[in-house]
Amino acid sequence: MDEVKTVVSRDGTPIAYARYGAGAGDGPAVVLVSGVRGTGAGELPLARLLARSCPVFVYDRRGHGGSGEAGPYAVEREFEDLAAVLAAAGPGAAVHGSGAGGSLALAAAAAGVPVAAVSVFEPPCEALGSLPEVHARVLVVDGGASPAPVRRAARELSALLPRARHRTLTGQTHEVAPHVLAPVLAEFVAEVADSADLV
């Protein structure tokens, strides 16, 4: 892991992040968006596994961990925070979020934050708005042992998005095992990078 660094969001708020996989390939990075806990600490098991194949950026969401501004703010500020981390990650970076982190990743992409691809694991779909505006490639993942309504929502979400596909991880629940999710996510990111190279 590199040391913890900060980027400055559009409104001047410092956003803390760490980079994993300094020795990983030269391919595009993945930015992990944390869920309701808001800190990147919960993403570390997945980050360490993904870092074997690509650079991974993990950040503390606004008002959590090492990032500033804890007061009330518009969700658009979080889009700007993600955009600042993506700029640090470099061109072609993808985004992944589980749960609420997935909702934020999709909403940011719909708002025009430049992402090469978005991967989500069981985002709460009721929090999502104008998703047909997401033009990036999207992978929607659910757990085969998750409740039927959650799995149905994941399938419906992938059908709604113009460039999405759906995948179910057999035997997984909402607490997905990082060692099961990591290779699926790495394969998706590599596939998106390969297709971009061909354009």
Side-chain angles (χ1 to χ4, degrees), residues 1 48 52-53 56 60 62 64 77 90 93 105 113 116 123 125 127-128 146 148 155 157 161-162 192:
M1 177 188 84
R48 290 184 178 118
R52 297 173 184 172
S53 58
V56 181
D60 293 336
R62 177 176 291 244
H64 297 84
R77 301 295 78 76
V113 173
C125 293
L128 301 172
S146 289
R155 289 192 302 272
L157 174 61
L161 294 164
V192 171

PDB file of all heavy atoms in Angstrom, residues 1 48 52-53 56 60 62 64 77 90 93 105 113 116 123 125 127-128 146 148 155 157 161-162 192:
ATOM      1  N   MET A   1       0.836  -1.189   0.000  1.00  0.00           N
ATOM      2  CA  MET A   1       0.000   0.000   0.000  1.00  0.00           C
ATOM      3  C   MET A   1       0.873   1.243   0.000  1.00  0.00           C
ATOM      4  O   MET A   1       1.850   1.329   0.736  1.00  0.00           O
ATOM      5  CB  MET A   1      -0.898   0.011   1.233  1.00  0.00           C
ATOM      6  CG  MET A   1      -1.756   1.261   1.326  1.00  0.00           C
ATOM      7  SD  MET A   1      -2.651   1.421   2.888  1.00  0.00           S
ATOM      8  CE  MET A   1      -1.379   2.165   3.896  1.00  0.00           C
ATOM      9  N   ARG A  48      -7.019  -5.716  -1.560  1.00  0.00           N
ATOM     10  CA  ARG A  48      -5.764  -6.487  -1.561  1.00  0.00           C
ATOM     11  C   ARG A  48      -5.796  -7.604  -2.593  1.00  0.00           C
ATOM     12  O   ARG A  48      -4.785  -7.907  -3.223  1.00  0.00           O
ATOM     13  CB  ARG A  48      -5.498  -7.022  -0.160  1.00  0.00           C
ATOM     14  CG  ARG A  48      -5.125  -5.923   0.827  1.00  0.00           C
ATOM     15  CD  ARG A  48      -4.758  -6.473   2.191  1.00  0.00           C
ATOM     16  NE  ARG A  48      -4.358  -5.398   3.070  1.00  0.00           N
ATOM     17  CZ  ARG A  48      -4.987  -5.075   4.202  1.00  0.00           C
ATOM     18  NH1 ARG A  48      -6.056  -5.755   4.588  1.00  0.00           N
ATOM     19  NH2 ARG A  48      -4.558  -4.089   4.951  1.00  0.00           N
ATOM     20  N   ARG A  52      -3.630  -7.622  -6.978  1.00  0.00           N
ATOM     21  CA  ARG A  52      -2.744  -8.577  -7.645  1.00  0.00           C
ATOM     22  C   ARG A  52      -2.777  -8.407  -9.163  1.00  0.00           C
ATOM     23  O   ARG A  52      -1.856  -8.823  -9.859  1.00  0.00           O
ATOM     24  CB  ARG A  52      -3.154 -10.004  -7.287  1.00  0.00           C
ATOM     25  CG  ARG A  52      -3.019 -10.312  -5.810  1.00  0.00           C
ATOM     26  CD  ARG A  52      -3.600 -11.671  -5.489  1.00  0.00           C
ATOM     27  NE  ARG A  52      -3.558 -11.947  -4.055  1.00  0.00           N
ATOM     28  CZ  ARG A  52      -4.139 -12.991  -3.486  1.00  0.00           C
ATOM     29  NH1 ARG A  52      -4.789 -13.890  -4.216  1.00  0.00           N
ATOM     30  NH2 ARG A  52      -4.062 -13.162  -2.177  1.00  0.00           N
ATOM     31  N   SER A  53      -3.868  -7.820  -9.679  1.00  0.00           N
ATOM     32  CA  SER A  53      -4.001  -7.706 -11.128  1.00  0.00           C
ATOM     33  C   SER A  53      -4.105  -6.270 -11.639  1.00  0.00           C
ATOM     34  O   SER A  53      -3.929  -6.037 -12.829  1.00  0.00           O
ATOM     35  CB  SER A  53      -5.226  -8.502 -11.610  1.00  0.00           C
ATOM     36  OG  SER A  53      -6.400  -8.039 -10.977  1.00  0.00           O
ATOM     37  N   VAL A  56      -5.497  -0.381  -7.341  1.00  0.00           N
ATOM     38  CA  VAL A  56      -6.782  -0.204  -6.668  1.00  0.00           C
ATOM     39  C   VAL A  56      -6.706   1.024  -5.767  1.00  0.00           C
ATOM     40  O   VAL A  56      -5.748   1.173  -4.997  1.00  0.00           O
ATOM     41  CB  VAL A  56      -7.152  -1.444  -5.826  1.00  0.00           C
ATOM     42  CG1 VAL A  56      -8.505  -1.254  -5.149  1.00  0.00           C
ATOM     43  CG2 VAL A  56      -7.160  -2.705  -6.694  1.00  0.00           C
ATOM     44  N   ASP A  60     -11.916   7.312   1.721  1.00  0.00           N
ATOM     45  CA  ASP A  60     -12.911   7.585   2.762  1.00  0.00           C
ATOM     46  C   ASP A  60     -13.909   8.586   2.214  1.00  0.00           C
ATOM     47  O   ASP A  60     -13.519   9.660   1.740  1.00  0.00           O
ATOM     48  CB  ASP A  60     -12.243   8.168   4.014  1.00  0.00           C
ATOM     49  CG  ASP A  60     -11.330   7.182   4.724  1.00  0.00           C
ATOM     50  OD1 ASP A  60     -11.531   5.959   4.550  1.00  0.00           O
ATOM     51  OD2 ASP A  60     -10.432   7.630   5.454  1.00  0.00           O
ATOM     52  N   ARG A  62     -16.756  11.438   2.135  1.00  0.00           N
ATOM     53  CA  ARG A  62     -16.878  12.734   2.814  1.00  0.00           C
ATOM     54  C   ARG A  62     -17.474  12.584   4.219  1.00  0.00           C
ATOM     55  O   ARG A  62     -18.498  11.919   4.403  1.00  0.00           O
ATOM     56  CB  ARG A  62     -17.762  13.620   1.943  1.00  0.00           C
ATOM     57  CG  ARG A  62     -18.075  14.986   2.479  1.00  0.00           C
ATOM     58  CD  ARG A  62     -18.874  15.752   1.453  1.00  0.00           C
ATOM     59  NE  ARG A  62     -18.043  16.079   0.300  1.00  0.00           N
ATOM     60  CZ  ARG A  62     -17.732  17.323  -0.071  1.00  0.00           C
ATOM     61  NH1 ARG A  62     -18.182  18.353   0.614  1.00  0.00           N
ATOM     62  NH2 ARG A  62     -16.972  17.528  -1.133  1.00  0.00           N
ATOM     63  N   HIS A  64     -16.121  10.998   6.721  1.00  0.00           N
ATOM     64  CA  HIS A  64     -15.730   9.740   7.360  1.00  0.00           C
ATOM     65  C   HIS A  64     -14.206   9.583   7.315  1.00  0.00           C
ATOM     66  O   HIS A  64     -13.554  10.055   6.378  1.00  0.00           O
ATOM     67  CB  HIS A  64     -16.379   8.544   6.660  1.00  0.00           C
ATOM     68  CG  HIS A  64     -17.862   8.538   6.739  1.00  0.00           C
ATOM     69  ND1 HIS A  64     -18.659   9.240   5.854  1.00  0.00           N
ATOM     70  CD2 HIS A  64     -18.707   7.928   7.606  1.00  0.00           C
ATOM     71  CE1 HIS A  64     -19.933   9.050   6.166  1.00  0.00           C
ATOM     72  NE2 HIS A  64     -19.985   8.272   7.224  1.00  0.00           N
ATOM     73  N   ARG A  77     -21.976  16.659  -4.024  1.00  0.00           N
ATOM     74  CA  ARG A  77     -20.617  16.815  -3.486  1.00  0.00           C
ATOM     75  C   ARG A  77     -19.891  15.469  -3.504  1.00  0.00           C
ATOM     76  O   ARG A  77     -18.688  15.401  -3.753  1.00  0.00           O
ATOM     77  CB  ARG A  77     -20.650  17.354  -2.054  1.00  0.00           C
ATOM     78  CG  ARG A  77     -21.326  18.703  -1.855  1.00  0.00           C
ATOM     79  CD  ARG A  77     -20.613  19.854  -2.541  1.00  0.00           C
ATOM     80  NE  ARG A  77     -20.848  19.930  -3.969  1.00  0.00           N
ATOM     81  CZ  ARG A  77     -21.977  20.381  -4.548  1.00  0.00           C
ATOM     82  NH1 ARG A  77     -22.986  20.809  -3.813  1.00  0.00           N
ATOM     83  NH2 ARG A  77     -22.090  20.421  -5.857  1.00  0.00           N
ATOM     84  N   GLY A  90      -6.246   7.975 -12.641  1.00  0.00           N
ATOM     85  CA  GLY A  90      -5.768   8.016 -14.015  1.00  0.00           C
ATOM     86  C   GLY A  90      -6.811   7.610 -15.032  1.00  0.00           C
ATOM     87  O   GLY A  90      -7.896   7.123 -14.686  1.00  0.00           O
ATOM     88  N   ALA A  93     -10.080   4.526 -15.519  1.00  0.00           N
ATOM     89  CA  ALA A  93     -10.377   3.870 -14.250  1.00  0.00           C
ATOM     90  C   ALA A  93     -11.839   3.431 -14.186  1.00  0.00           C
ATOM     91  O   ALA A  93     -12.739   4.106 -14.680  1.00  0.00           O
ATOM     92  CB  ALA A  93     -10.064   4.792 -13.077  1.00  0.00           C
ATOM     93  N   ALA A 105     -22.032   4.912  -6.984  1.00  0.00           N
ATOM     94  CA  ALA A 105     -21.249   4.774  -8.210  1.00  0.00           C
ATOM     95  C   ALA A 105     -22.127   4.945  -9.447  1.00  0.00           C
ATOM     96  O   ALA A 105     -21.763   5.657 -10.392  1.00  0.00           O
ATOM     97  CB  ALA A 105     -20.555   3.416  -8.233  1.00  0.00           C
ATOM     98  N   VAL A 113     -20.006  11.803 -14.163  1.00  0.00           N
ATOM     99  CA  VAL A 113     -18.647  11.555 -13.687  1.00  0.00           C
ATOM    100  C   VAL A 113     -17.990  10.572 -14.658  1.00  0.00           C
ATOM    101  O   VAL A 113     -18.572   9.524 -14.966  1.00  0.00           O
ATOM    102  CB  VAL A 113     -18.661  10.996 -12.242  1.00  0.00           C
ATOM    103  CG1 VAL A 113     -17.264  10.570 -11.816  1.00  0.00           C
ATOM    104  CG2 VAL A 113     -19.212  12.043 -11.285  1.00  0.00           C
ATOM    105  N   ALA A 116     -14.866   4.560 -16.808  1.00  0.00           N
ATOM    106  CA  ALA A 116     -14.774   3.632 -17.934  1.00  0.00           C
ATOM    107  C   ALA A 116     -15.794   2.519 -17.795  1.00  0.00           C
ATOM    108  O   ALA A 116     -16.329   2.026 -18.787  1.00  0.00           O
ATOM    109  CB  ALA A 116     -13.365   3.050 -18.018  1.00  0.00           C
ATOM    110  N   PRO A 123     -26.868  -3.227  -5.174  1.00  0.00           N
ATOM    111  CA  PRO A 123     -27.171  -1.868  -4.703  1.00  0.00           C
ATOM    112  C   PRO A 123     -28.647  -1.752  -4.344  1.00  0.00           C
ATOM    113  O   PRO A 123     -29.486  -2.412  -4.960  1.00  0.00           O
ATOM    114  CB  PRO A 123     -26.847  -0.994  -5.917  1.00  0.00           C
ATOM    115  CG  PRO A 123     -27.103  -1.889  -7.082  1.00  0.00           C
ATOM    116  CD  PRO A 123     -26.685  -3.268  -6.632  1.00  0.00           C
ATOM    117  N   CYS A 125     -31.811  -0.517  -4.985  1.00  0.00           N
ATOM    118  CA  CYS A 125     -32.285   0.129  -6.219  1.00  0.00           C
ATOM    119  C   CYS A 125     -33.254   1.274  -5.970  1.00  0.00           C
ATOM    120  O   CYS A 125     -33.404   2.155  -6.805  1.00  0.00           O
ATOM    121  CB  CYS A 125     -32.931  -0.913  -7.128  1.00  0.00           C
ATOM    122  SG  CYS A 125     -31.728  -2.104  -7.733  1.00  0.00           S
ATOM    123  N   ALA A 127     -32.816   3.691  -4.225  1.00  0.00           N
ATOM    124  CA  ALA A 127     -32.059   4.937  -4.094  1.00  0.00           C
ATOM    125  C   ALA A 127     -31.611   5.481  -5.449  1.00  0.00           C
ATOM    126  O   ALA A 127     -30.988   6.528  -5.502  1.00  0.00           O
ATOM    127  CB  ALA A 127     -30.843   4.706  -3.194  1.00  0.00           C
ATOM    128  N   LEU A 128     -31.919   4.789  -6.519  1.00  0.00           N
ATOM    129  CA  LEU A 128     -31.389   5.157  -7.826  1.00  0.00           C
ATOM    130  C   LEU A 128     -32.401   5.979  -8.617  1.00  0.00           C
ATOM    131  O   LEU A 128     -33.603   5.788  -8.513  1.00  0.00           O
ATOM    132  CB  LEU A 128     -31.006   3.889  -8.598  1.00  0.00           C
ATOM    133  CG  LEU A 128     -29.955   3.030  -7.878  1.00  0.00           C
ATOM    134  CD1 LEU A 128     -29.771   1.715  -8.592  1.00  0.00           C
ATOM    135  CD2 LEU A 128     -28.636   3.764  -7.770  1.00  0.00           C
ATOM    136  N   SER A 146     -28.851 -14.823  -1.789  1.00  0.00           N
ATOM    137  CA  SER A 146     -29.536 -13.620  -1.309  1.00  0.00           C
ATOM    138  C   SER A 146     -31.044 -13.795  -1.475  1.00  0.00           C
ATOM    139  O   SER A 146     -31.497 -14.636  -2.265  1.00  0.00           O
ATOM    140  CB  SER A 146     -29.060 -12.392  -2.093  1.00  0.00           C
ATOM    141  OG  SER A 146     -27.735 -12.052  -1.746  1.00  0.00           O
ATOM    142  N   ALA A 148     -34.835 -13.556  -2.685  1.00  0.00           N
ATOM    143  CA  ALA A 148     -35.358 -13.472  -4.050  1.00  0.00           C
ATOM    144  C   ALA A 148     -35.627 -12.044  -4.505  1.00  0.00           C
ATOM    145  O   ALA A 148     -35.305 -11.690  -5.655  1.00  0.00           O
ATOM    146  CB  ALA A 148     -36.617 -14.330  -4.176  1.00  0.00           C
ATOM    147  N   ARG A 155     -31.525  -8.234 -11.435  1.00  0.00           N
ATOM    148  CA  ARG A 155     -31.832  -8.554 -12.839  1.00  0.00           C
ATOM    149  C   ARG A 155     -32.557  -7.399 -13.520  1.00  0.00           C
ATOM    150  O   ARG A 155     -32.276  -7.054 -14.674  1.00  0.00           O
ATOM    151  CB  ARG A 155     -32.665  -9.831 -12.918  1.00  0.00           C
ATOM    152  CG  ARG A 155     -31.911 -11.098 -12.569  1.00  0.00           C
ATOM    153  CD  ARG A 155     -32.687 -12.349 -12.948  1.00  0.00           C
ATOM    154  NE  ARG A 155     -33.993 -12.417 -12.312  1.00  0.00           N
ATOM    155  CZ  ARG A 155     -34.229 -12.946 -11.115  1.00  0.00           C
ATOM    156  NH1 ARG A 155     -33.233 -13.453 -10.411  1.00  0.00           N
ATOM    157  NH2 ARG A 155     -35.450 -12.978 -10.623  1.00  0.00           N
ATOM    158  N   LEU A 157     -32.418  -4.240 -12.707  1.00  0.00           N
ATOM    159  CA  LEU A 157     -31.483  -3.134 -12.882  1.00  0.00           C
ATOM    160  C   LEU A 157     -30.628  -3.344 -14.124  1.00  0.00           C
ATOM    161  O   LEU A 157     -30.450  -2.425 -14.931  1.00  0.00           O
ATOM    162  CB  LEU A 157     -30.591  -3.016 -11.645  1.00  0.00           C
ATOM    163  CG  LEU A 157     -29.450  -1.995 -11.709  1.00  0.00           C
ATOM    164  CD1 LEU A 157     -30.003  -0.587 -11.915  1.00  0.00           C
ATOM    165  CD2 LEU A 157     -28.607  -2.061 -10.441  1.00  0.00           C
ATOM    166  N   LEU A 161     -30.444  -0.766 -17.664  1.00  0.00           N
ATOM    167  CA  LEU A 161     -29.268  -0.024 -18.108  1.00  0.00           C
ATOM    168  C   LEU A 161     -28.891  -0.403 -19.537  1.00  0.00           C
ATOM    169  O   LEU A 161     -28.904  -1.584 -19.892  1.00  0.00           O
ATOM    170  CB  LEU A 161     -28.096  -0.312 -17.170  1.00  0.00           C
ATOM    171  CG  LEU A 161     -28.283   0.216 -15.741  1.00  0.00           C
ATOM    172  CD1 LEU A 161     -27.296  -0.436 -14.801  1.00  0.00           C
ATOM    173  CD2 LEU A 161     -28.147   1.718 -15.708  1.00  0.00           C
ATOM    174  N   PRO A 162     -28.531   0.575 -20.355  1.00  0.00           N
ATOM    175  CA  PRO A 162     -28.292   0.294 -21.773  1.00  0.00           C
ATOM    176  C   PRO A 162     -27.092  -0.594 -22.075  1.00  0.00           C
ATOM    177  O   PRO A 162     -27.087  -1.298 -23.073  1.00  0.00           O
ATOM    178  CB  PRO A 162     -28.115   1.685 -22.393  1.00  0.00           C
ATOM    179  CG  PRO A 162     -27.861   2.617 -21.273  1.00  0.00           C
ATOM    180  CD  PRO A 162     -28.475   2.017 -20.048  1.00  0.00           C
ATOM    181  N   VAL A 192     -13.145  -4.704 -20.222  1.00  0.00           N
ATOM    182  CA  VAL A 192     -13.457  -3.329 -20.625  1.00  0.00           C
ATOM    183  C   VAL A 192     -12.205  -2.642 -21.157  1.00  0.00           C
ATOM    184  O   VAL A 192     -12.244  -1.951 -22.182  1.00  0.00           O
ATOM    185  CB  VAL A 192     -14.062  -2.541 -19.445  1.00  0.00           C
ATOM    186  CG1 VAL A 192     -14.179  -1.045 -19.781  1.00  0.00           C
ATOM    187  CG2 VAL A 192     -15.431  -3.113 -19.078  1.00  0.00           C
TER     188      VAL A 192
END
